[in-house]
Each structure stands twice: as structure tokens, then as C-alpha cells.
Amino acid sequence: MKNPILLIGNDINNISKGQSWKDLLTDIVSFCLPDGCVQLDERKPFPLLYEEIFLTAIRQQHIREAELKAFIAEKTLRIEQNEIHAAIRAIAPAHILTTNYEFTLEGEIPDSNNSLIQERAFSIFRKYTVGSTDYWHIHGDCLNPLSINLGFEHYGGQLQQMRNYVVSGTTYTSPQAPRQSLIQRIQQHLPVKDDSWLDLFFTRDIHIFGLSLDFVETDLWWLLTYRARQKFQKNTIPVRNALYYYIPTEFVQGAKFKLDMLAANDVKVIDIAAPDKRTYYDEVLKQIKRL
């Protein structure tokens, strides 16, 4: 496929040396709560764990969320590029959507944000263009720490803005913002101009990899289910694009519960056998180019 559209998560960063996600969690707790009174536990969904850390820190340390998110932005900016980031750029994607906050995919820190609307907290239009690729940071970015989507409250606000854009229409004051919802514009055969990354989910094929799609990602699961309902239940707009989810073969059996849900939501699952992470991602990119 020439100039594909990709949705990429944090796993590609795990090849890089330096700070892991677990390290970051430990650093967040240490920054907010030096006495370590919040216990990290894999059973705690991360958005709620973030709220536990932050709300405890408000009461004990009088910390402001802006301080915490600035700390997280500074930490994640330290993540280093690896060969997979370069290989992704080499296939010249038209669009890259990412849940990552840093700019390793771009290969550089962009000079400016060229979104349709400059958003402070949420990320419906958050776009940086580097070369011929548009990069959409759908959960915020390090240059705008308040946009970093971590807690339950932020996920709720993000989902609200997403549903407005797709279903009911936006309330932005900017004259550039489309007033009609995406669904209404498609119904009326009006042009869909890729103003938002959400446009792509209903109009273009998307390849998803490096993203665990845990169920805490409520915004993305809502988007998948709403798209599937449009296609199979409501039939109010044509949904002809394809979504592909890539997973290492070794994880398929353990992830069957999630893969069944993806299949029900019209996502095509592609498993790839590989001896190591680097080879796996090379094979993913080869498969995308062949489609």
C-alpha cells in the first residue's frame, strides 16, 4: 500500500534504551508523593491509578496538575528514537495517528502545530506535519503538557469532544471548525477534508500496531463500536473502509478475549510470527506495504 495510514502505540518505544512505562509510573509517584503512600498494582486501571496519585497529592502536597503534567512531558521527551521509528517514516505514511506524547515518530520536535484549531486540553484536531506526513497526537503531546491524556477525567472529556465531532456537532467558537457532525456531513455528501483524525476512521483504511488497546482506552473502544454500529445496525452512512490490527502470534491465545471483541467491531486481526520485537515490526511494515 502506498502512503498508508497508521495508528501506533507505545510498544514501538520499548525497543529504545532508557525509561520504560513502569519507570515513568514510579517517577510520577516519587514526584507527587515522596513517602510512596500510593502502591502501584497492575490490577489498577491506569486512568484511575493516575487519579489516585493526583488526588492524594493534592491533599498531601498541594500539587497542581499543571506541574505534574509538565514533569511527565519532560520525562517522556527523553524517550529515544530507534530503528523502527525510522523504518516507519521510510514507508512514507500519509497519516500517522499515535497515542504517544513524544515526537520519536516524527524524528524531530516540530516547529509548529498546524491543526485546524489550536486545542488546549483535548485532541480532536491536534496535528503536526513533518515532510509529507501528518502526525495526529490523539492523546496529547509533550509540547502542550495540559493536553496529555492520563486520568479518568481527561478520558471523559476527550470522549465527550469526540462524540460531539462525530455524532452531534461541535461547539467550538472558531469559524474554521465544522459545525455539522461528521455523520451529518457524510450523509449529505459534503466533503470530508481530514480536518480531524476522527474523519479517517470512517473513510480510510487504518493499520493499528504497537497498541495494546486495553479496555481502559474507552475513547478508542467507543469509536470502534460506534463505527461498527453505523455499519451493521443503523446504516445511516456507508462505512467501506477497513481497520487492521496487528499482533504477535505468541500473544494471540492469551488475547483471544480482546481479539474476539475486535472482530465483532469489524476490525481485521492479523497475527505475525517473529523471533523478536524488531523482526516483528519489520514484518508488520512489509505486510502493510503488500496490502
Side-chain angles (χ1 to χ4, degrees), residues 130-147:
V130 177
S132 60
T133 302
D134 289 335
Y135 294 84
W136 304 84
H137 286 262
I138 68 176
H139 282 173
D141 69 79
C142 289
L143 295 182
N144 301 275
L146 289 178
S147 72

Side-chain angles (χ1 to χ4, degrees), residues 84-183:
I84 295 300
H85 297 99
I88 290 168
R89 291 192 293 272
I91 68 172
H95 300 269
I96 293 179
L97 291 64
T98 183
T99 54
N100 301 345
Y101 314 129
E102 86 297 330
F103 300 97
T104 47
L105 282 164
E106 287 93 332
E108 61 186 70
I109 296 178
D111 293 330
S112 61
N113 175 318
N114 59 331
S115 311
L116 182 71
I117 294 173
Q118 301 299 309
E119 297 166 292
R120 182 170 178 266
F122 302 115
S123 300
I124 305 303
F125 305 97
R126 190 173 303 280
K127 179 177 70 172
Y128 296 89
T129 301
V130 177
S132 60
T133 302
D134 289 335
Y135 294 84
W136 304 84
H137 286 262
I138 68 176
H139 282 173
D141 69 79
C142 289
L143 295 182
N144 301 275
L146 289 178
S147 72
I148 292 177
N149 191 356
L150 290 166
F152 211 62
E153 164 64 16
H154 203 142
Y155 267 94
Q158 173 79 359
L159 179 51
Q160 180 180 20
Q161 296 301 322
M162 288 170 59
R163 199 175 192 285
N164 286 348
Y165 184 87
V166 173
V167 182
S168 58
T170 66
T171 57
Y172 296 98
T173 57
S174 170
Q176 297 182 79
R179 287 287 179 271
Q180 289 180 295
S181 72
L182 175 62
I183 297 302

Side-chain angles (χ1 to χ4, degrees), residues 124-125 136 165-166 178 182 185-186 191-204 206 241:
I124 305 303
F125 305 97
W136 304 84
Y165 184 87
V166 173
L182 175 62
R185 282 179 279 141
I186 294 175
V192 177
K193 302 177 181 178
D194 298 343
D195 291 330
S196 167
W197 61 273
L198 293 162
D199 298 339
L200 304 172
F201 260 85
F202 293 83
T203 60
R204 313 280 282 279
I206 299 177
N241 64 318

Side-chain angles (χ1 to χ4, degrees), residues 156-256:
Q158 173 79 359
L159 179 51
Q160 180 180 20
Q161 296 301 322
M162 288 170 59
R163 199 175 192 285
N164 286 348
Y165 184 87
V166 173
V167 182
S168 58
T170 66
T171 57
Y172 296 98
T173 57
S174 170
Q176 297 182 79
R179 287 287 179 271
Q180 289 180 295
S181 72
L182 175 62
I183 297 302
Q184 290 170 332
R185 282 179 279 141
I186 294 175
Q187 279 181 320
Q188 297 173 23
H189 305 289
L190 298 174
V192 177
K193 302 177 181 178
D194 298 343
D195 291 330
S196 167
W197 61 273
L198 293 162
D199 298 339
L200 304 172
F201 260 85
F202 293 83
T203 60
R204 313 280 282 279
D205 292 354
I206 299 177
H207 302 266
I208 306 168
F209 60 90
L211 183 65
S212 65
L213 267 179
D214 291 334
F215 298 136
V216 298
E217 306 281 11
T218 51
D219 54 342
L220 293 176
W221 279 101
W222 171 80
L223 186 60
L224 293 176
T225 56
Y226 187 81
R227 174 186 174 275
R229 281 174 175 265
Q230 283 295 320
K231 183 170 184 176
F232 300 119
Q233 180 196 21
K234 297 181 179 179
N235 296 312
T236 53
I237 63 167
V239 179
R240 302 189 182 98
N241 64 318
L243 305 180
Y244 302 91
Y245 182 79
Y246 296 82
I247 184 172
T249 302
E250 64 185 292
F251 297 144
V252 167
Q253 185 173 355
K256 186 178 184 303

